Amino acid sequence: MTVDELKKHYSVKYDSDLAKILKKTRGAVSKWRSKGIPVNTQAILQIKTNGQVKADLSF
């Protein structure tokens, strides 16, 4: 999953809006954008979205 997929799912335009929804810092979302979302965080987000956004488990 990517930051952009999460933004689309939550219907937000800005990373800062996504951060607020997920109760994360803007810095965390920025780090996800550059380094990828950690697998454990992706798994949690997949559960929270009822599988509508899928974790990327390819290594």
Side-chain angles (χ1 to χ4, degrees):
M1 96 183 35
T2 65
V3 171
D4 290 330
E5 289 171 338
L6 288 170
K7 284 171 57 176
K8 183 177 178 182
H9 173 78
Y10 287 107
S11 300
V12 297
K13 186 173 180 180
Y14 301 108
D15 288 359
S16 58
D17 295 331
L18 179 64
K20 286 178 189 176
I21 289 170
L22 299 179
K23 296 184 171 88
K24 301 289 183 185
T25 65
R26 286 185 309 172
V29 174
S30 177
K31 187 175 180 182
W32 294 350
R33 189 172 285 289
S34 63
K35 296 189 178 203
I37 302 170
V39 175
N40 60 336
T41 303
Q42 288 188 48
I44 292 167
L45 291 169
Q46 181 174 320
I47 292 167
K48 285 185 175 184
T49 64
N50 294 317
Q52 292 179 345
V53 182
K54 302 284 186 195
D56 179 12
L57 301 177
S58 60
F59 295 91

XYZ file of all heavy atoms in Angstrom:
467
model
N 0.842 -1.182 0.000
C 0.000 0.000 0.000
C 0.874 1.227 0.000
O 2.004 1.197 0.468
C -0.970 -0.066 1.176
C -0.593 0.657 2.428
S -1.712 0.519 3.854
C -2.365 -1.085 3.803
N 0.335 2.276 -0.555
C 1.077 3.530 -0.627
C 0.299 4.638 0.083
O -0.890 4.487 0.376
C 1.290 3.954 -2.086
O 0.011 4.249 -2.671
C 2.002 2.888 -2.895
N 0.977 5.729 0.308
C 0.335 6.897 0.910
C -0.811 7.363 0.010
O -1.897 7.685 0.488
C 1.358 8.030 1.153
C 0.660 9.308 1.570
C 2.383 7.604 2.201
N -0.583 7.359 -1.292
C -1.620 7.817 -2.218
C -2.845 6.904 -2.195
O -3.982 7.381 -2.296
C -1.067 7.951 -3.629
C -0.088 9.113 -3.746
O -0.241 10.112 -3.003
O 0.825 9.031 -4.579
N -2.649 5.601 -2.040
C -3.786 4.685 -1.920
C -4.587 4.981 -0.653
O -5.827 4.948 -0.666
C -3.304 3.232 -1.902
C -2.780 2.748 -3.231
C -2.107 1.393 -3.161
O -1.663 0.967 -2.069
O -2.003 0.755 -4.218
N -3.893 5.276 0.433
C -4.576 5.621 1.679
C -5.342 6.934 1.544
O -6.477 7.049 2.011
C -3.584 5.707 2.835
C -3.029 4.372 3.321
C -1.881 4.611 4.294
C -4.125 3.560 3.987
N -4.721 7.926 0.884
C -5.394 9.206 0.674
C -6.661 9.017 -0.154
O -7.691 9.611 0.146
C -4.446 10.201 0.008
C -3.412 10.758 0.968
C -2.334 11.564 0.303
C -2.824 12.723 -0.496
N -1.717 13.520 -1.046
N -6.576 8.181 -1.170
C -7.756 7.908 -1.995
C -8.836 7.221 -1.165
O -10.014 7.588 -1.235
C -7.367 7.048 -3.194
C -8.502 6.776 -4.136
C -8.040 5.975 -5.339
C -9.225 5.683 -6.255
N -8.832 4.863 -7.403
N -8.450 6.233 -0.375
C -9.420 5.501 0.452
C -10.144 6.441 1.417
O -11.355 6.355 1.581
C -8.739 4.377 1.243
C -9.654 3.713 2.214
N -10.587 2.786 1.817
C -9.800 3.874 3.551
C -11.276 2.400 2.893
N -10.804 3.044 3.951
N -9.388 7.327 2.041
C -9.975 8.237 3.032
C -10.483 9.541 2.404
O -10.955 10.422 3.123
C -8.956 8.539 4.138
C -8.751 7.367 5.071
C -7.585 6.613 5.023
C -9.719 7.009 5.996
C -7.388 5.532 5.884
C -9.544 5.928 6.850
C -8.384 5.202 6.782
O -8.193 4.139 7.627
N -10.390 9.656 1.093
C -10.886 10.828 0.350
C -10.307 12.132 0.875
O -11.041 13.084 1.162
C -12.416 10.877 0.390
O -12.971 9.726 -0.176
N -9.000 12.166 1.012
C -8.326 13.394 1.448
C -7.333 13.829 0.381
O -6.825 13.011 -0.392
C -7.619 13.236 2.812
C -8.624 12.943 3.919
C -6.550 12.168 2.771
N -7.060 15.115 0.355
C -6.171 15.684 -0.658
C -4.737 15.814 -0.159
O -3.791 15.660 -0.913
C -6.714 17.044 -1.069
C -5.988 17.687 -2.208
C -6.682 18.958 -2.662
C -5.945 19.593 -3.824
N -6.588 20.818 -4.270
N -4.577 16.102 1.117
C -3.251 16.419 1.657
C -2.754 15.347 2.617
O -3.542 14.727 3.347
C -3.289 17.762 2.387
C -3.732 18.889 1.489
C -4.982 19.464 1.629
C -2.899 19.372 0.483
C -5.404 20.490 0.801
C -3.298 20.398 -0.352
C -4.551 20.949 -0.195
O -4.953 21.959 -1.023
N -1.432 15.176 2.637
C -0.812 14.230 3.578
C -1.147 14.602 5.015
O -1.336 13.730 5.858
C 0.704 14.208 3.391
C 1.141 13.520 2.104
O 0.277 13.035 1.338
O 2.367 13.465 1.869
N -1.226 15.894 5.294
C -1.520 16.332 6.665
C -2.920 15.890 7.091
O -3.130 15.537 8.257
C -1.379 17.848 6.797
O -2.242 18.508 5.894
N -3.863 15.867 6.163
C -5.216 15.393 6.483
C -5.206 13.899 6.776
O -5.876 13.429 7.698
C -6.179 15.689 5.336
C -6.383 17.171 5.102
O -6.267 17.949 6.074
O -6.645 17.555 3.946
N -4.429 13.153 6.001
C -4.301 11.719 6.244
C -3.683 11.471 7.611
O -4.145 10.609 8.362
C -3.445 11.073 5.150
C -3.214 9.573 5.282
C -4.525 8.808 5.168
C -2.211 9.094 4.241
N -2.661 12.238 7.941
C -1.997 12.089 9.238
C -2.986 12.289 10.381
O -2.979 11.532 11.356
C -0.842 13.082 9.349
N -3.845 13.293 10.262
C -4.843 13.549 11.309
C -5.794 12.373 11.456
O -6.096 11.941 12.566
C -5.638 14.820 10.990
C -4.868 16.081 11.204
C -5.700 17.294 10.828
C -4.859 18.558 10.826
N -5.629 19.720 10.362
N -6.272 11.853 10.335
C -7.207 10.723 10.372
C -6.572 9.501 11.027
O -7.209 8.812 11.827
C -7.688 10.374 8.953
C -8.631 11.464 8.438
C -8.377 9.013 8.917
C -8.972 11.352 6.971
N -5.312 9.254 10.692
C -4.625 8.063 11.207
C -3.975 8.294 12.570
O -3.366 7.380 13.126
C -3.575 7.608 10.204
C -4.106 7.203 8.831
C -2.956 6.806 7.917
C -5.114 6.073 8.945
N -4.085 9.531 13.062
C -3.471 9.895 14.349
C -1.955 9.651 14.328
O -1.381 9.088 15.250
C -4.140 9.161 15.504
C -5.597 9.547 15.674
C -6.217 8.882 16.868
C -7.568 9.428 17.153
N -8.687 8.847 16.517
N -1.358 10.107 13.220
C 0.094 10.047 13.038
C 0.585 11.465 12.782
O -0.197 12.372 12.512
C 0.452 9.166 11.832
C -0.033 7.741 11.926
C 0.725 6.964 12.945
C 0.292 5.505 12.986
N 0.925 4.756 14.036
N 1.887 11.653 12.834
C 2.444 12.972 12.538
C 2.600 13.131 11.028
O 2.669 12.141 10.295
C 3.814 13.160 13.208
O 4.735 12.219 12.632
C 3.729 12.973 14.719
N 2.673 14.387 10.599
C 2.937 14.639 9.178
C 4.299 14.079 8.804
O 4.504 13.611 7.684
C 2.889 16.135 8.872
C 1.490 16.678 8.864
C 1.464 18.115 8.443
N 2.425 18.906 9.234
C 2.750 20.144 9.006
N 2.208 20.804 8.014
N 3.621 20.777 9.762
N 5.238 14.131 9.746
C 6.567 13.580 9.509
C 6.540 12.085 9.251
O 7.287 11.586 8.419
N 5.678 11.377 9.975
C 5.558 9.930 9.770
C 5.040 9.634 8.372
O 5.581 8.769 7.665
C 4.637 9.321 10.816
N 4.030 10.375 7.940
C 3.473 10.164 6.605
C 4.512 10.519 5.543
O 4.649 9.816 4.543
C 2.162 10.967 6.429
C 1.658 10.878 5.002
C 1.092 10.466 7.398
N 5.274 11.566 5.775
C 6.335 11.952 4.844
C 7.386 10.845 4.747
O 7.865 10.513 3.654
C 6.979 13.257 5.303
O 8.046 13.599 4.466
N 7.734 10.262 5.865
C 8.704 9.165 5.892
C 8.154 7.954 5.137
O 8.880 7.289 4.405
C 9.024 8.800 7.340
C 10.122 7.795 7.502
C 10.454 7.593 8.969
C 11.551 6.578 9.172
N 11.827 6.355 10.597
N 6.853 7.679 5.315
C 6.226 6.573 4.584
C 6.337 6.807 3.091
O 6.548 5.885 2.324
C 4.758 6.438 4.942
C 4.447 6.031 6.336
C 5.315 5.586 7.286
C 3.163 6.027 6.940
N 4.643 5.309 8.443
C 3.318 5.571 8.259
C 1.891 6.378 6.503
C 2.246 5.442 9.137
C 0.821 6.249 7.372
C 1.001 5.783 8.677
N 6.159 8.070 2.677
C 6.193 8.387 1.255
C 7.588 8.102 0.680
O 7.722 7.591 -0.421
C 5.814 9.850 1.036
C 5.620 10.190 -0.429
C 5.067 11.571 -0.624
N 3.659 11.697 -0.317
C 2.667 11.186 -1.037
N 2.935 10.457 -2.088
N 1.418 11.386 -0.695
N 8.629 8.400 1.446
C 9.982 8.223 0.921
C 10.548 6.822 1.147
O 11.285 6.311 0.310
C 10.926 9.268 1.512
O 11.035 9.115 2.906
N 10.198 6.200 2.259
C 10.798 4.903 2.601
C 9.818 3.744 2.582
O 10.207 2.607 2.809
C 11.454 4.979 3.976
C 12.602 5.958 4.016
C 13.378 5.860 5.290
C 14.541 6.834 5.209
N 15.620 6.487 6.080
N 8.547 4.039 2.351
C 7.528 2.999 2.366
C 6.903 2.862 3.751
O 7.515 3.200 4.761
N 5.694 2.375 3.761
C 4.962 2.181 5.024
C 5.432 0.861 5.636
O 5.428 -0.172 4.952
C 3.444 2.151 4.769
C 2.996 3.448 4.084
C 2.676 1.930 6.073
C 1.567 3.429 3.560
N 5.839 0.882 6.909
C 6.291 -0.365 7.546
C 5.218 -1.460 7.450
O 4.021 -1.187 7.522
C 6.522 0.038 9.011
C 6.744 1.518 8.958
C 5.897 2.021 7.828
N 5.664 -2.695 7.265
C 4.753 -3.823 7.064
C 3.767 -3.964 8.218
O 2.574 -4.204 7.992
C 5.556 -5.132 6.846
C 4.621 -6.330 6.770
C 6.388 -5.043 5.589
N 4.230 -3.789 9.455
C 3.314 -3.942 10.589
C 2.240 -2.849 10.571
O 1.080 -3.098 10.895
C 4.052 -3.981 11.922
C 4.858 -2.734 12.199
O 5.252 -2.004 11.282
N 5.145 -2.488 13.464
N 2.603 -1.645 10.152
C 1.635 -0.555 10.035
C 0.656 -0.849 8.905
O -0.550 -0.619 9.037
C 2.351 0.788 9.792
O 3.268 1.018 10.863
C 1.371 1.936 9.705
N 1.163 -1.388 7.802
C 0.288 -1.757 6.692
C -0.733 -2.798 7.130
O -1.907 -2.714 6.760
C 1.102 -2.316 5.521
C 1.893 -1.288 4.776
C 2.503 -1.872 3.521
O 1.827 -2.536 2.735
N 3.792 -1.636 3.326
N -0.289 -3.775 7.905
C -1.200 -4.822 8.374
C -2.323 -4.224 9.222
O -3.497 -4.575 9.057
C -0.430 -5.878 9.159
N -1.967 -3.310 10.109
C -2.966 -2.657 10.961
C -3.935 -1.856 10.103
O -5.157 -1.912 10.311
C -2.276 -1.767 12.014
C -1.525 -2.633 13.024
C -3.284 -0.846 12.707
C -0.556 -1.883 13.910
N -3.409 -1.123 9.115
C -4.268 -0.310 8.254
C -5.166 -1.183 7.383
O -6.307 -0.817 7.097
C -3.427 0.632 7.405
C -2.727 1.743 8.192
C -1.715 2.467 7.311
C -3.738 2.714 8.765
N -4.677 -2.343 6.967
C -5.523 -3.260 6.198
C -6.705 -3.710 7.046
O -7.841 -3.753 6.565
C -4.726 -4.471 5.724
C -5.562 -5.439 4.906
C -4.749 -6.564 4.299
O -3.645 -6.345 3.841
N -5.313 -7.760 4.295
N -6.457 -4.001 8.306
C -7.543 -4.409 9.210
C -8.509 -3.253 9.429
O -9.727 -3.427 9.360
C -6.958 -4.915 10.549
C -6.218 -6.230 10.322
C -8.060 -5.074 11.593
C -5.349 -6.670 11.477
N -7.969 -2.048 9.676
C -8.825 -0.879 9.923
C -9.699 -0.528 8.724
O -10.769 0.028 8.890
C -7.979 0.334 10.309
C -7.443 0.278 11.714
C -6.720 1.570 12.067
C -6.279 1.560 13.510
N -5.667 2.832 13.890
N -9.222 -0.830 7.510
C -10.002 -0.518 6.306
C -10.815 -1.724 5.838
O -11.346 -1.723 4.727
C -9.092 -0.037 5.161
O -8.207 -1.099 4.787
C -8.324 1.213 5.537
N -10.912 -2.726 6.679
C -11.643 -3.950 6.337
C -11.165 -4.549 5.016
O -11.960 -5.034 4.215
C -13.157 -3.696 6.295
C -13.700 -3.344 7.660
O -13.336 -3.961 8.658
N -14.552 -2.349 7.724
N -9.863 -4.462 4.783
C -9.264 -5.061 3.607
C -9.426 -4.261 2.328
O -9.036 -4.721 1.262
N -9.993 -3.070 2.421
C -10.175 -2.256 1.220
C -8.843 -1.715 0.703
O -8.710 -1.439 -0.489
C -11.160 -1.126 1.479
C -12.568 -1.638 1.695
C -13.554 -0.529 1.974
O -13.179 0.594 2.286
N -14.824 -0.858 1.880
N -7.875 -1.545 1.587
C -6.512 -1.190 1.198
C -5.638 -2.354 1.665
O -5.656 -2.720 2.832
C -6.059 0.144 1.843
C -4.671 0.500 1.374
C -7.031 1.256 1.510
N -4.926 -2.946 0.733
C -4.165 -4.173 1.017
C -2.712 -3.890 1.368
O -2.063 -3.040 0.741
C -4.189 -5.101 -0.203
C -5.567 -5.491 -0.660
C -6.161 -6.529 0.238
C -7.485 -7.018 -0.340
N -8.257 -7.743 0.598
N -2.214 -4.613 2.361
C -0.792 -4.552 2.714
C 0.030 -5.156 1.600
O -0.380 -6.125 0.960
C -0.544 -5.303 4.025
N 1.187 -4.578 1.333
C 2.112 -5.087 0.331
C 3.150 -5.921 1.067
O 4.054 -5.384 1.684
C 2.773 -3.931 -0.416
C 3.767 -4.405 -1.468
O 3.788 -5.614 -1.781
O 4.522 -3.564 -1.971
N 3.009 -7.225 0.969
C 3.893 -8.116 1.710
C 5.020 -8.685 0.861
O 5.714 -9.582 1.284
C 3.067 -9.246 2.337
C 1.963 -8.787 3.286
C 1.168 -9.972 3.797
C 2.535 -7.982 4.444
N 5.203 -8.141 -0.348
C 6.310 -8.622 -1.183
C 7.610 -8.014 -0.688
O 7.682 -6.833 -0.346
C 6.073 -8.247 -2.637
O 5.970 -6.854 -2.791
N 8.629 -8.814 -0.631
C 9.911 -8.348 -0.088
C 10.929 -8.231 -1.168
O 11.353 -8.860 -1.902
C 10.405 -9.281 1.017
C 9.501 -9.264 2.208
C 8.446 -10.155 2.324
C 9.656 -8.326 3.208
C 7.614 -10.143 3.408
C 8.821 -8.301 4.317
C 7.798 -9.218 4.406
